[in-house]
Amino acid sequence: MGRRGVNTRKGILRATLPVLRRLPPRTALRAVDAIGRLDYRLVPSLRKRYDEAIRTHAATLGEDWDPSRIGPELSANQVRSRVRDMLLDDRTDAQLHGLFRVEGRELLDEAVGRGRGVVLLGNHFGAHMLMAYWMIWQGYAWRMFGERPRSISKLMAAQFATEGPLGQSRLFVSRKANPAEAAGAILRAARVLREQIVLSIASDVRWPTPPNAPARFLGRSYTFSSTWVTLAAMSGAPVVPAYCLIEPDGTYAIEFEAAFSVPREAARDESLAAHWVQHGLTLIEERVRRDPANSIDYFFWEEDEARPRASGPPMAAAG
């Protein structure tokens, strides 16, 4: 999406959030969904951009996608993703239970039970911050390795303010950090895993400087952060791929997949690290094939590439 369009949507959402918070959560989220669908229908330039992006990626992946069906859903999901978890403040447990459908929780719990920590392999597919909210709400020993997200719920803000050697605040990283700061952050993340904590880190962060690896995603070549591979290889922690899908009825579907292990050699062998980076991206690409409306920003990465990026260590993006 163009930066102007994103900023306009953020402005509309900031203005309407106080009203939406007074509504039942599913009603509020369906209203946000409607904003995105209305954008698609009433703004010709936006509709054209969405339709062209959908057609381009359908041709690349060999899929038969109908832009007139996927476009409104993708537009709605883009707006839902901007809201993050900000509509979940001051909700009852009963209301929250009604928002989440969870599949594969037993796979996550089995990995946790191994006592080696867990690398929760995240991404920017769907509503990734809602999965973070769910992990905190459910009481998992959980941390996130990446840039600090802004505009979040009170529950998440309280978690992110935790201090100490294992606190969340020391696991936030900056793209402007120097190599020593980046290395220190990775060592702190490894310590968190040794303490049997679930550590979320995104597998789809594009980054031009080491530690990174080349890989293909949606028909194009990029270099991606390999930090998650390094941490999984160093710690021996099981890796659990996880996704949070945005549903049009105002709910979310959280799905955990079976754990896998990354061999210790991948921390030192660049070609082996590249193999695992590609594996993580292939898993996401399969999700995009099945549910392109939850691709969120992936179809617009070409626009992102045209904008200058800050230099720094390849860490997980806040999204």
Side-chain angles (χ1 to χ4, degrees):
M1 283 297 299
R3 184 58 52 195
R4 180 181 299 175
V6 170
N7 290 338
T8 299
R9 286 181 169 190
K10 285 183 177 179
I12 293 171
L13 291 172
R14 278 195 296 268
T16 57
L17 278 175
V19 176
L20 293 172
R21 285 194 176 102
R22 299 175 185 173
L23 301 174
R26 288 181 66 170
T27 302
L29 289 164
R30 286 196 297 268
V32 174
D33 187 282
I35 292 172
R37 292 176 186 272
L38 195 64
D39 269 355
Y40 179 86
R41 184 163 64 89
L42 297 182
V43 183
S45 60
L46 182 143
R47 184 168 60 250
K48 179 181 179 182
R49 182 182 293 119
Y50 273 67
D51 289 354
E52 288 180 349
I54 292 166
R55 290 192 188 98
T56 296
H57 287 86
T60 297
L61 297 176
E63 298 292 336
D64 185 22
W65 293 336
D66 178 4
S68 67
R69 180 185 66 81
I70 296 170
E73 294 182 26
L74 178 57
S75 182
N77 290 345
Q78 282 247 348
V79 181
R80 286 270 296 273
S81 72
R82 307 297 179 216
V83 173
R84 295 181 173 172
D85 63 341
M86 289 187 288
L87 291 175
L88 303 192
D89 280 336
D90 304 317
R91 306 297 188 175
T92 66
D93 281 353
Q95 287 177 317
L96 293 174
H97 277 297
L99 289 181
F100 296 102
R101 173 178 60 82
V102 182
E103 294 185 6
R105 182 170 184 169
E106 71 282 0
L107 300 174
L108 172 64
D109 290 343
E110 188 276 331
V112 170
R114 298 183 196 179
R116 307 199 68 175
V118 173
V119 173
L120 192 64
L121 196 60
N123 48 71
H124 294 82
F125 178 83
H128 59 286
M129 292 304 295
L130 270 294
M131 181 167 58
Y133 183 98
W134 183 87
M135 294 291 296
I136 299 168
W137 172 53
Q138 290 294 298
Y140 283 91
W142 174 90
R143 301 289 186 273
M144 185 183 79
F145 188 65
E147 293 180 296
R148 187 186 185 102
R150 307 298 176 184
S151 302
I152 52 177
S153 69
K154 291 185 287 188
L155 177 72
M156 194 171 293
Q159 165 78 15
F160 287 174
T162 55
E163 302 286 347
L166 301 176
Q168 177 63 66
S169 61
R170 299 198 68 199
L171 291 171
F172 289 126
V173 295
S174 170
R175 290 175 181 265
K176 298 179 181 179
N178 60 43
E181 291 170 331
I186 291 175
L187 290 175
R188 288 192 293 274
R191 180 177 181 181
V192 163
L193 289 169
R194 287 197 299 272
E195 295 297 323
Q196 304 181 29
I197 294 172
V198 178
L199 182 71
S200 288
I201 183 168
S203 60
D204 55 0
V205 180
R206 294 164 290 163
W207 213 271
T209 56
N212 65 355
R216 288 186 64 79
F217 183 62
L218 301 181
R220 295 194 67 186
S221 296
Y222 305 94
T223 52
F224 291 87
S225 169
S226 57
T227 304
W228 74 267
V229 176
T230 300
L231 284 169
M234 288 171 52
S235 66
V239 180
V240 176
Y243 309 87
C244 184
L245 286 66
I246 300 170
E247 303 282 22
D249 64 351
T251 63
Y252 299 92
I254 296 175
E255 300 180 4
F256 300 102
E257 295 184 346
F260 62 85
S261 298
V262 174
R264 183 171 293 275
E265 294 77 16
R268 301 182 299 274
D269 186 325
E270 291 184 358
S271 63
L272 189 55
H275 164 80
W276 287 104
V277 167
Q278 184 64 69
H279 177 67
L281 292 161
T282 299
L283 293 176
I284 302 171
E285 188 168 299
E286 286 304 310
R287 289 279 173 163
V288 173
R289 288 178 180 274
R290 288 152 48 186
D291 187 1
N294 264 290
S295 64
I296 311 301
D297 289 329
Y298 293 148
F299 291 173
F300 307 98
W301 273 11
E302 291 85 352
E303 296 176 16
D304 291 344
E305 290 291 299
R307 293 195 295 269
R309 289 179 173 271
S311 61
M315 304 302 181

